[in-house]
Amino acid sequence: MIEGMMRAPHVSERTCIVTRRSGAPEAMIRFVRGPDGALAPDIKARLPGRGVWVTARADVVAQAAQKRLFARALKTQIDAAPQLAEDVDRLLEADCLQMLSLANKAGCVVAGFGKVADALAQGSVRALLEARDGGEDGKRKLAQAARRAGSTTPVIGLFSSLQLDLALGRTNVIHAALAGGGPTTAFIGRCRRLAAYRGVCIDGATATGDEIEAEPNDGCAE
């Protein structure tokens, strides 16, 4: 190596068993053969044993199950449940809501229209949460408040009011805001992954083909 030249940092990549494309582990879902012989989604990539990787999109996971690609890649007889793509969705969703609960316990979350509007005015909002079954009028007013404050924070609309109630330990949560900090950053990252898996924008709107192909960290709501 020529003196003074620095070695390029190693970038870890995995190959999808469906598309045969390589990518960062964060953009894929790992699957392993569990102790009971069943296929297990390993969304945090921590389970022991040999794993295979699939692009983190519901349609690709469904394709892997339908074509029995897991058995071929793992070189063993293993059956994927017909509802595997839906099971992965529920795991990713639960992971998001668990992180939201941790962010709330860390004091990063305020809920309620008035408190969210005040936080926007103070410039202390890192992300907005809107229940997907909430009224459009409230969403419109808070969007206007965000524009007045010059805020470009992401708006997350992936969860129902009931899901937000359970995660935050409150009732009738329609609007919430998250301040900056590690738990908030982790929550936003998980939401981007879930949105990419579903093929939607982080605010829940239908994504275009280009947005579906984007990395999980490339949201279309900012």
Side-chain angles (χ1 to χ4, degrees):
M1 179 180 295
I2 299 175
E3 186 176 356
M5 291 182 64
M6 297 182 64
R7 185 184 300 274
H10 175 69
V11 178
S12 176
E13 288 191 338
R14 301 292 185 270
T15 300
C16 173
I17 64 172
V18 180
T19 67
R20 307 310 302 172
R21 296 178 183 174
S22 297
E26 295 78 13
M28 298 190 185
I29 305 292
R30 183 175 183 259
F31 294 85
V32 300
R33 185 177 185 272
D36 59 354
L39 185 69
D42 180 18
I43 64 167
K44 295 184 179 180
R46 294 176 181 172
L47 295 178
R50 182 186 177 195
V52 296
W53 298 78
V54 178
T55 299
R57 280 182 16 213
D59 59 334
V60 182
V61 172
Q63 188 177 352
Q66 291 164 3
K67 294 186 175 181
R68 303 180 62 86
L69 297 181
F70 292 107
R72 185 185 307 172
L74 288 168
K75 295 181 172 59
T76 186
Q77 179 59 39
I78 192 167
D79 292 323
Q83 74 282 4
L84 180 63
E86 290 81 4
D87 291 343
V88 173
D89 185 285
R90 283 191 289 271
L91 289 172
L92 293 175
E93 186 177 71
D95 192 37
C96 289
L97 293 169
Q98 181 182 41
M99 184 52 65
L100 175 60
S101 180
L102 291 175
N104 183 51
K105 291 176 182 177
C108 297
V109 183
V110 295
F113 183 93
K115 291 182 179 180
V116 172
D118 289 344
L120 282 168
Q122 295 165 10
S124 59
V125 175
R126 176 67 183 86
L128 281 174
L129 264 175
E130 294 180 343
R132 62 173 178 244
D133 50 345
E136 292 302 319
D137 186 57
K139 295 178 183 180
R140 177 180 55 79
K141 290 178 178 178
L142 283 181
Q144 292 173 344
R147 286 194 294 270
R148 286 195 298 270
S151 173
T152 59
T153 57
V155 179
I156 300 170
L158 301 172
F159 313 107
S160 69
S161 176
L162 177 58
Q163 287 176 312
L164 297 180
D165 289 353
L166 294 173
L168 298 177
R170 310 179 196 192
T171 58
N172 196 32
V173 177
I174 303 298
H175 307 285
L178 290 88
T184 295
T185 299
F187 172 66
I188 294 171
R190 284 164 168 75
C191 288
R192 293 196 188 285
R193 190 184 193 197
L194 175 62
Y197 184 79
R198 291 177 173 174
V200 300
C201 294
I202 197 172
D203 63 358
T206 301
T208 67
D210 289 343
E211 287 159 350
I212 292 174
E213 291 292 338
E215 292 293 331
N217 288 336
D218 294 335
C220 50
E222 285 190 282

